[in-house]
Amino acid sequence: MKRKDLIKKLIDNGWWLFRNGANHDIYTNGINSEPIPRHREVDEKLAKDIIKRQGLK
């Protein structure tokens, strides 16, 4: 999955960029936080795990 598609899904569900880490960007919804790796392509299994773990639609 492309990184920008995963980030768009997070933003559409009320998440925002909390801070930039060294190798990851940290997104939060005010309660939970999720590190998103800074690669053009995010591994498909990792992307599906993030979507499932955070209950994104």
Side-chain angles (χ1 to χ4, degrees):
M1 173 179 269
K2 294 211 178 281
R3 180 178 185 269
K4 68 180 182 177
D5 294 336
L6 180 57
I7 290 173
K8 183 176 182 339
K9 188 175 284 283
L10 283 167
I11 290 172
D12 289 346
N13 283 278
W15 291 67
W16 64 90
L17 179 64
F18 180 63
R19 67 182 174 89
N20 298 97
N23 297 316
H24 294 77
D25 290 332
I26 311 299
Y27 282 82
T28 186
N29 65 356
I31 299 170
N32 299 323
S33 62
E34 189 67 50
I36 305 297
R38 272 200 216 123
H39 301 289
R40 235 175 232 222
E41 289 284 330
V42 176
D43 182 56
E44 196 66 35
K45 184 177 181 332
L46 175 61
K48 286 182 180 181
D49 286 346
I50 291 171
I51 291 168
K52 184 177 179 182
R53 180 171 48 235
Q54 300 304 336
L56 304 177
K57 297 177 184 173

